[in-house]
Structures are given as C-alpha cells and as structure tokens.
C-alpha cells in the first residue's frame, strides 16, 4: 500500500515533500490537492434577497437544486448551503465571481449517498484545465448559517524512484 499525500510528517516516509537528500521521496503520491474552498452564507440574508427578488433563484440555482428544495417546508437553508458550495468551488479553483455562471456548479443529493458537486460549461472547462479529477464536498447549515467546504482533487500520480 502506498502512502497518501499529506500523511506523515515532511521528510518522513509517507510524507509529501523532500527527504533528507532533497527531491521528492520516491513512492509518494504527489499533486493530489488542486485547491480548497470554504464559504459561509447567512440564511436570513439569502431569504431577504429571495423575498425582494424571487426571480434571482432561477439565476443562482440549477433546476435540479430548485426541484430538490421545492419539497421542503423551508427551502432557504438548503439553498443557502448550495450557494455556499458554489462559492467554495470557485475558491477551490482559485477564481472569483464572474469566472463562470452560478448554474454551472450545482449540488445534487441522491439518497442515501452524500451530496455531490457537478460542473458544466466554463466551470467544467476550468476544472479540466486545473486537472481536477474529483470533488469532495461537505455541507452543514443551521437556521442562521450555511457552510460549505470543497476540496478539488487532481488525478494522483506516483513518482518513481
């Protein structure tokens, strides 16, 4: 079994980085993390925006997201956490607002599995350019705050020694 990036301490077996002699330690896996993004959204702030301008939901959210939350008694916390995921994905890709449309990144939940991040259009092209092979997503929300953590993972390449 090969070590994974980030396991161990730098300079020790299984760690990413350099050994005592310099260079990359043979047998380690390198290049796995392309980026990390974290975002928080105030639920009541999004609620106020949607109350003032209901049509903004169609600009910010993918139809699959709107269909998912339509079944809920109060869809706003779920929308807030999905909006946080979109912004966290932008951060994980190292870009800001305007790099791609909000509907080009969306969260889908297929029970009983975890939520999954999907990309299309410019977002997918940017991820391919950054060699992102897999996304990791963690979502959490309360009545007040929605949080999303996104990790973009590159294809893993083993360094030969």
């Amino acid at each position: 079994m090969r070590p994974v990036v980030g396991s161990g301490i730098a300079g020790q077996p299984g760690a990413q980085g350099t050994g005592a002699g310099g260079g990359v330690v043979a047998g380690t896996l390198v290049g796995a993390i392309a980026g990390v993004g974290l975002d928080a959204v105030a639920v009541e702030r999004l609620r106020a925006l949607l109350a003032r301008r209901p049509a903004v939901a169609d600009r910010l959210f993918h139809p699959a997201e709107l269909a998912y939350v339509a079944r809920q008694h109060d869809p706003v916390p779920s929308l807030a956490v999905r909006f946080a995921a979109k912004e966290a994905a932008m951060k994980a890709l190292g870009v800001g607002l305007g790099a791609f449309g909000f509907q080009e990144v969306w969260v889908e939940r297929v029970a009983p599995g975890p939520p999954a991040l999907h990309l299309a259009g410019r977002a997918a092209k940017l991820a391919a350019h950054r060699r992102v092979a897999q996304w990791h997503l963690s979502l959490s929300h309360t009545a007040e705050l929605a949080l999303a953590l996104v990790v973009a993972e590159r294809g893993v390449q083993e360094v030969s020694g």
Side-chain angles (χ1 to χ4, degrees):
M1 182 166 150
R2 296 283 186 208
V4 177
V5 169
S7 64
I9 301 169
Q12 298 295 317
Q16 175 185 12
T18 60
V24 176
V25 177
T28 60
L29 302 176
V30 297
I33 302 299
V36 176
L38 174 67
D39 197 66
V41 172
V43 174
E44 291 306 313
R45 187 172 177 196
L46 181 63
R47 186 183 309 282
L49 172 65
L50 294 173
R52 275 193 328 270
R53 299 178 52 203
V56 78
D58 293 326
R59 285 193 10 248
L60 296 179
F61 300 101
H62 189 274
E65 292 173 311
L66 294 173
Y68 177 80
V69 303
R71 300 184 300 263
Q72 299 176 6
H73 172 69
D74 181 6
V76 178
S78 290
L79 288 174
V81 80
R82 282 158 174 74
F83 188 75
K86 294 166 189 289
E87 292 203 339
M90 289 178 187
K91 292 173 182 178
L93 288 170
V95 298
L97 295 173
F100 48 82
F102 286 109
Q103 285 194 9
E104 294 178 28
V105 175
W106 69 98
V107 175
E108 281 193 55
R109 176 130 194 190
V110 179
L117 195 67
H118 297 276
L119 286 82
R122 292 179 295 167
K125 288 179 185 174
L126 184 58
H129 177 73
R130 299 243 195 308
R131 297 181 294 136
V132 175
Q134 185 173 359
W135 294 95
H136 302 276
L137 174 65
S138 182
L139 304 174
S140 184
H141 65 79
T142 65
E144 297 85 27
L145 190 63
L147 301 166
L149 174 68
V150 172
V151 177
E153 182 181 344
R154 285 195 178 104
V156 180
Q157 180 179 0
E158 186 172 333
V159 177
S160 60

